[in-house]
Amino acid sequence: MAERRERAEFSGPRKGREERHAQPSPSGGPTGPPAPSGPRKGRGERRDKPPPDPHPHPNPNPPSARAPGSRRWGWPLPTPTGTPFTFGYAVVLLLTSLFTEYADPHLVSRVLQGSSTDVVHLAQAPVPVLIASALWIAGGISSVFAIAFLLVLTALERRIGGLRTAGVFLLGHVVATLATEIPVGLSVLAGHLPDSSLHRYDYGISFGVAASAGALAGLLTLWPRLLLLAVSAWLVGEGLVAFTDPLTNWGHLLALAVGVATWPWVRRTRDQVATPEAQLQDGAGDPTGAA
């Protein structure tokens, strides 16, 4: 009888895992585990989302970059933070121009004579006089070269930086000055010019501005480049035609050529310092541009 009773106890259906673990509800009925809130994702669905990259790459198209069709020129005048070299140089030129305008004429004449890059001064102290001669504007702050200084050097510094802009300016200033003054000294030695030619006034920023304009042209797209070169050549050619100061005018043409000769260098350095906006303005990568 005992054996038959044990068989009767185990002869009923086996309960599943959910029924065995079900707890009675307050109303007396069993309750199972909470139902899932949604359909369970398969193994393939769980792998759709890739793991986060521990080393994310920079966005190749930052929000600040604009399409080439929306090119826009920035502020054309120098600022203390954006173009510190041009801004500081412009302040110095403004002060020296005010000095020449309002100081005693005899004092101004002596200072300008001492700053002149004539043959005598170049033979005695070439480095100080080359620097001093670039601190004055021949014709005052209303001259064409004063306006060109602000526009050209500001645009150039934004593309290649202050130190490189100073290098281009100084290169054109020094080369054109020496190329125009050395023939004067040789002509005096040969007896073709009087001795007074050794002390002629020669100062100003025009050689440096011409070289900067030539360098800037190499960083622009085709039509702006041709326009800048045409305007520069017209300013230089006008003086040559008038034949008012042929040595200085030939110096302007030479300085412009020096700036054009720096195109390979300024193009290599442009990509190292230029912002994406400036590169779009210059047409970097454009087959019709400066590449």
Side-chain angles (χ1 to χ4, degrees):
M1 294 293 293
E3 183 180 357
R4 186 179 301 174
R5 188 181 297 113
E6 290 175 1
R7 291 179 179 179
E9 289 177 359
F10 291 96
S11 61
R14 299 182 62 183
K15 296 181 180 180
R17 185 178 300 176
E18 291 79 4
E19 293 179 10
R20 290 198 300 269
H21 292 281
Q23 300 294 331
S25 65
S27 60
T31 59
S37 58
R40 297 180 61 184
K41 295 182 178 180
R43 184 175 299 177
E45 294 179 352
R46 290 197 300 269
R47 295 181 179 177
D48 287 345
K49 185 177 180 180
D53 189 357
H55 304 288
H57 299 283
N59 187 3
N61 298 315
S64 59
R66 296 188 300 271
S70 60
R71 295 172 188 170
R72 184 172 60 201
W73 293 99
W75 181 247
L77 298 179
T79 59
T81 56
T83 52
F85 167 72
T86 305
F87 183 85
Y89 198 175
V91 171
V92 173
L93 293 175
L94 176 61
L95 295 177
T96 57
S97 298
L98 293 176
F99 172 80
T100 57
E101 184 70 23
Y102 297 104
D104 179 69
H106 297 287
L107 176 61
V108 172
S109 179
R110 290 198 302 269
V111 172
L112 292 179
Q113 182 62 51
S115 303
S116 175
T117 51
D118 54 42
V119 176
V120 174
H121 288 154
L122 287 175
Q124 295 174 350
V127 175
V129 76
L130 282 169
I131 297 175
S133 65
L135 302 179
W136 310 91
I137 303 177
I141 57 177
S142 60
S143 66
V144 174
F145 283 102
I147 299 173
F149 170 88
L150 295 175
L151 300 178
V152 171
L153 266 73
T154 297
L156 185 61
E157 184 174 357
R158 283 178 177 163
R159 287 159 173 80
I160 65 173
L163 291 177
R164 295 177 178 87
T165 300
V168 172
F169 184 95
L170 188 62
L171 179 64
H173 176 71
V174 171
V175 171
T177 299
L178 295 179
T180 54
E181 290 298 331
I182 291 178
V184 172
L186 296 177
S187 297
V188 171
L189 290 177
H192 300 298
L193 290 176
D195 293 343
S196 59
S197 300
L198 299 175
H199 302 277
R200 75 185 191 98
Y201 278 91
D202 187 15
Y203 62 89
I205 61 173
S206 58
F207 290 162
V209 172
S212 300
L216 177 62
L219 302 177
L220 303 178
T221 52
L222 179 61
W223 292 112
R225 181 195 313 166
L226 295 178
L227 178 61
L228 179 57
L229 290 176
V231 172
S232 303
W234 175 76
L235 292 175
V236 172
E238 185 182 23
L240 288 174
V241 172
F243 208 72
T244 54
D245 190 355
L247 278 178
T248 301
N249 295 325
W250 279 111
H252 291 154
L253 184 61
L254 177 61
L256 182 64
V258 169
V260 173
T262 64
W263 283 6
W265 177 66
V266 296
R267 287 172 178 174
R268 285 196 304 268
T269 59
R270 169 188 55 190
D271 298 335
Q272 301 174 6
V273 297
T275 61
E277 288 83 356
Q279 292 180 12
L280 288 174
Q281 292 171 6
D282 300 338
D286 188 349
T288 61

